[in-house]
Amino acid sequence: MAFAAQFAGVYLNFNPDDAASRSSKLAAFLAQGMDPQMGWDGFGKLAAVAIQAYDIEAGDAHNAVVSVAFQTGPRRMMLSVPIYFSGDDAGERFVVSGRPAILPAPAPADLPQVAKPETDDAAAAELKPQLEGFFKDYADGDAAGLQRYVAAGKSLPSFGGAFTFAELKEVVVPVGGATREIQAVVVWTVPNGDVPPTPDSTDPATAGGRLEQAYRLTVEKQGDKWFVADIRGAGRVAD
């Protein structure tokens, strides 16, 4: 599948100025005697990004069709690549065995609604200041400060200054006991390249971008305070 994705990276990017270069690169993937431009007439342009192997359909022990997903402009599409495989003492070898085909990508899945869980607003109010301190030190990389918000016996890595904490936008705390799995929506300030963000700046050269992220945290109540035991990506948030 990686062979087909590498081939797609060359095949799906062309313009007349690079025709000779494209042809020489394609030669590494093609069977002897195949069209060195694989059906392109040398005119027009195509640019593809986000190229990833998607699926494989085996015909027999040596032949398969590999589907590769890619993005061109605003469109997500697929490339179907016929591949021949051989394996011997010299190792595994692959070659493109026929003309590829561009196809539309599958439409997005229909996402059913799920009910919101019953929430504990009192626990959320208790957790919010703790989580604000946690996420600030989680972003800054203040190991000693971060440990004040982490459950006893636990240790969590941090961003080490890659982002700056801007806002805790939402906390969803389900009802439960002393250990709960909660969701938090956090806003990070993202540096503008290597330039540290300047708070409230409107200058594009110094202003940091804002990026919302959703997290799932395991929190434990120890004494009268909540502490973070684990942090992961949130997955799907209830509607």
Side-chain angles (χ1 to χ4, degrees), residues 12 48 64 67 74 77 84 90 95 101 109 127 130 146 149 162 167 178 182-183 191 218:
L12 292 168
S67 296
M77 305 187 80
Y84 177 82
V95 70
L127 270 160
Q130 287 288 100
L146 182 63
Y149 304 99
E167 178 187 355
I182 70 170
Q183 291 185 341
T218 301

mmCIF file of all heavy atoms in Angstrom, residues 12 48 64 67 74 77 84 90 95 101 109 127 130 146 149 162 167 178 182-183 191 218:
data_model
loop_
_atom_site.group_PDB
_atom_site.id
_atom_site.type_symbol
_atom_site.label_atom_id
_atom_site.label_comp_id
_atom_site.label_asym_id
_atom_site.label_seq_id
_atom_site.Cartn_x
_atom_site.Cartn_y
_atom_site.Cartn_z
ATOM 1 N N LEU A 12 -0.183 12.116 -9.407
ATOM 2 C CA LEU A 12 -1.255 13.105 -9.240
ATOM 3 C C LEU A 12 -0.768 14.548 -9.221
ATOM 4 O O LEU A 12 -1.572 15.466 -9.047
ATOM 5 C CB LEU A 12 -2.013 12.822 -7.938
ATOM 6 C CG LEU A 12 -2.836 11.536 -7.916
ATOM 7 C CD1 LEU A 12 -3.296 11.226 -6.502
ATOM 8 C CD2 LEU A 12 -4.026 11.639 -8.866
ATOM 9 N N ALA A 48 -2.012 17.490 -5.854
ATOM 10 C CA ALA A 48 -2.670 16.647 -4.855
ATOM 11 C C ALA A 48 -1.863 16.664 -3.560
ATOM 12 O O ALA A 48 -0.631 16.658 -3.573
ATOM 13 C CB ALA A 48 -2.810 15.219 -5.361
ATOM 14 N N ALA A 64 -3.341 -6.946 -7.158
ATOM 15 C CA ALA A 64 -4.248 -6.235 -6.263
ATOM 16 C C ALA A 64 -4.525 -4.850 -6.829
ATOM 17 O O ALA A 64 -3.767 -4.336 -7.672
ATOM 18 C CB ALA A 64 -3.656 -6.122 -4.869
ATOM 19 N N SER A 67 -6.525 1.370 -3.308
ATOM 20 C CA SER A 67 -7.196 2.664 -3.336
ATOM 21 C C SER A 67 -6.410 3.643 -2.474
ATOM 22 O O SER A 67 -6.047 3.337 -1.337
ATOM 23 C CB SER A 67 -8.627 2.544 -2.818
ATOM 24 O OG SER A 67 -9.396 1.719 -3.666
ATOM 25 N N PRO A 74 -10.495 21.903 -3.063
ATOM 26 C CA PRO A 74 -11.460 21.626 -1.987
ATOM 27 C C PRO A 74 -12.003 20.204 -2.015
ATOM 28 O O PRO A 74 -12.806 19.839 -1.162
ATOM 29 C CB PRO A 74 -12.585 22.627 -2.286
ATOM 30 C CG PRO A 74 -12.556 22.775 -3.776
ATOM 31 C CD PRO A 74 -11.106 22.671 -4.167
ATOM 32 N N MET A 77 -10.754 12.994 -3.063
ATOM 33 C CA MET A 77 -10.986 12.016 -4.116
ATOM 34 C C MET A 77 -10.181 10.753 -3.844
ATOM 35 O O MET A 77 -9.430 10.660 -2.868
ATOM 36 C CB MET A 77 -10.639 12.627 -5.485
ATOM 37 C CG MET A 77 -11.371 13.926 -5.769
ATOM 38 S SD MET A 77 -11.133 14.553 -7.447
ATOM 39 C CE MET A 77 -12.307 13.518 -8.318
ATOM 40 N N TYR A 84 1.144 -5.168 -9.226
ATOM 41 C CA TYR A 84 1.601 -6.560 -9.311
ATOM 42 C C TYR A 84 2.702 -6.751 -8.276
ATOM 43 O O TYR A 84 3.595 -5.908 -8.123
ATOM 44 C CB TYR A 84 2.134 -6.886 -10.700
ATOM 45 C CG TYR A 84 2.683 -8.290 -10.813
ATOM 46 C CD1 TYR A 84 1.832 -9.376 -11.037
ATOM 47 C CD2 TYR A 84 4.050 -8.532 -10.679
ATOM 48 C CE1 TYR A 84 2.330 -10.669 -11.118
ATOM 49 C CE2 TYR A 84 4.556 -9.816 -10.760
ATOM 50 C CZ TYR A 84 3.686 -10.882 -10.975
ATOM 51 O OH TYR A 84 4.184 -12.175 -11.049
ATOM 52 N N ALA A 90 15.378 -12.137 -3.337
ATOM 53 C CA ALA A 90 15.855 -10.750 -3.381
ATOM 54 C C ALA A 90 14.926 -9.816 -2.612
ATOM 55 O O ALA A 90 15.220 -8.641 -2.470
ATOM 56 C CB ALA A 90 15.983 -10.289 -4.841
ATOM 57 N N VAL A 95 5.162 -3.382 -8.781
ATOM 58 C CA VAL A 95 5.157 -2.568 -9.982
ATOM 59 C C VAL A 95 3.719 -2.201 -10.305
ATOM 60 O O VAL A 95 2.784 -2.969 -10.038
ATOM 61 C CB VAL A 95 5.814 -3.314 -11.168
ATOM 62 C CG1 VAL A 95 4.947 -4.483 -11.650
ATOM 63 C CG2 VAL A 95 6.129 -2.363 -12.310
ATOM 64 N N ALA A 101 -7.099 4.922 -11.996
ATOM 65 C CA ALA A 101 -8.394 5.556 -12.209
ATOM 66 C C ALA A 101 -8.711 6.466 -11.039
ATOM 67 O O ALA A 101 -8.622 6.044 -9.880
ATOM 68 C CB ALA A 101 -9.496 4.509 -12.368
ATOM 69 N N ALA A 109 -20.039 10.138 6.438
ATOM 70 C CA ALA A 109 -21.056 9.315 7.093
ATOM 71 C C ALA A 109 -22.113 10.200 7.755
ATOM 72 O O ALA A 109 -21.817 11.321 8.186
ATOM 73 C CB ALA A 109 -20.408 8.411 8.148
ATOM 74 N N LEU A 127 -14.441 22.093 39.713
ATOM 75 C CA LEU A 127 -13.345 21.676 38.847
ATOM 76 C C LEU A 127 -12.767 22.812 38.010
ATOM 77 O O LEU A 127 -11.571 22.798 37.684
ATOM 78 C CB LEU A 127 -13.823 20.566 37.909
ATOM 79 C CG LEU A 127 -13.669 19.145 38.415
ATOM 80 C CD1 LEU A 127 -14.578 18.197 37.658
ATOM 81 C CD2 LEU A 127 -12.217 18.706 38.281
ATOM 82 N N GLN A 130 -9.519 24.525 39.116
ATOM 83 C CA GLN A 130 -8.447 23.534 39.106
ATOM 84 C C GLN A 130 -7.974 23.252 37.686
ATOM 85 O O GLN A 130 -6.775 23.175 37.402
ATOM 86 C CB GLN A 130 -8.929 22.229 39.753
ATOM 87 C CG GLN A 130 -9.089 22.292 41.260
ATOM 88 C CD GLN A 130 -7.739 22.331 41.973
ATOM 89 O OE1 GLN A 130 -7.280 23.402 42.382
ATOM 90 N NE2 GLN A 130 -7.086 21.194 42.094
ATOM 91 N N LEU A 146 2.509 21.948 37.451
ATOM 92 C CA LEU A 146 1.567 20.965 36.924
ATOM 93 C C LEU A 146 1.277 19.878 37.941
ATOM 94 O O LEU A 146 0.137 19.420 38.075
ATOM 95 C CB LEU A 146 2.135 20.353 35.633
ATOM 96 C CG LEU A 146 1.264 19.325 34.911
ATOM 97 C CD1 LEU A 146 -0.036 19.951 34.425
ATOM 98 C CD2 LEU A 146 2.031 18.720 33.727
ATOM 99 N N TYR A 149 -1.712 19.814 40.305
ATOM 100 C CA TYR A 149 -3.059 19.511 39.830
ATOM 101 C C TYR A 149 -3.215 18.046 39.422
ATOM 102 O O TYR A 149 -4.283 17.634 38.990
ATOM 103 C CB TYR A 149 -3.394 20.396 38.624
ATOM 104 C CG TYR A 149 -3.263 21.863 38.919
ATOM 105 C CD1 TYR A 149 -2.124 22.573 38.544
ATOM 106 C CD2 TYR A 149 -4.270 22.542 39.599
ATOM 107 C CE1 TYR A 149 -1.995 23.926 38.832
ATOM 108 C CE2 TYR A 149 -4.150 23.893 39.879
ATOM 109 C CZ TYR A 149 -3.012 24.586 39.490
ATOM 110 O OH TYR A 149 -2.895 25.918 39.779
ATOM 111 N N ALA A 162 4.895 24.879 23.847
ATOM 112 C CA ALA A 162 4.510 24.903 22.437
ATOM 113 C C ALA A 162 3.258 25.735 22.210
ATOM 114 O O ALA A 162 3.072 26.335 21.146
ATOM 115 C CB ALA A 162 4.293 23.479 21.927
ATOM 116 N N GLU A 167 -8.065 29.937 27.310
ATOM 117 C CA GLU A 167 -9.404 29.921 27.909
ATOM 118 C C GLU A 167 -9.880 28.485 28.094
ATOM 119 O O GLU A 167 -9.628 27.626 27.240
ATOM 120 C CB GLU A 167 -10.376 30.658 26.978
ATOM 121 C CG GLU A 167 -11.807 30.694 27.432
ATOM 122 C CD GLU A 167 -12.727 31.292 26.379
ATOM 123 O OE1 GLU A 167 -12.228 31.758 25.325
ATOM 124 O OE2 GLU A 167 -13.955 31.291 26.609
ATOM 125 N N ALA A 178 -16.220 9.580 43.255
ATOM 126 C CA ALA A 178 -14.987 10.325 43.463
ATOM 127 C C ALA A 178 -14.064 10.284 42.244
ATOM 128 O O ALA A 178 -13.139 11.090 42.150
ATOM 129 C CB ALA A 178 -14.249 9.784 44.689
ATOM 130 N N ILE A 182 -14.501 13.255 32.500
ATOM 131 C CA ILE A 182 -15.136 14.508 32.109
ATOM 132 C C ILE A 182 -14.623 14.955 30.744
ATOM 133 O O ILE A 182 -13.644 14.397 30.213
ATOM 134 C CB ILE A 182 -14.866 15.607 33.154
ATOM 135 C CG1 ILE A 182 -13.388 16.029 33.114
ATOM 136 C CG2 ILE A 182 -15.264 15.134 34.550
ATOM 137 C CD1 ILE A 182 -13.071 17.262 33.925
ATOM 138 N N GLN A 183 -15.277 15.968 30.186
ATOM 139 C CA GLN A 183 -14.833 16.552 28.922
ATOM 140 C C GLN A 183 -14.596 18.037 29.125
ATOM 141 O O GLN A 183 -15.343 18.708 29.845
ATOM 142 C CB GLN A 183 -15.853 16.314 27.825
ATOM 143 C CG GLN A 183 -15.964 14.854 27.411
ATOM 144 C CD GLN A 183 -16.908 14.645 26.239
ATOM 145 O OE1 GLN A 183 -17.733 15.492 25.940
ATOM 146 N NE2 GLN A 183 -16.791 13.501 25.589
ATOM 147 N N PRO A 191 1.537 29.984 18.571
ATOM 148 C CA PRO A 191 2.517 30.979 18.127
ATOM 149 C C PRO A 191 2.488 31.179 16.615
ATOM 150 O O PRO A 191 2.157 30.271 15.850
ATOM 151 C CB PRO A 191 3.858 30.386 18.576
ATOM 152 C CG PRO A 191 3.513 29.401 19.645
ATOM 153 C CD PRO A 191 2.160 28.868 19.289
ATOM 154 N N THR A 218 -9.688 12.007 33.116
ATOM 155 C CA THR A 218 -10.094 11.260 34.297
ATOM 156 C C THR A 218 -9.677 12.093 35.505
ATOM 157 O O THR A 218 -8.501 12.453 35.645
ATOM 158 C CB THR A 218 -9.429 9.883 34.352
ATOM 159 O OG1 THR A 218 -9.780 9.147 33.181
ATOM 160 C CG2 THR A 218 -9.892 9.118 35.583
#
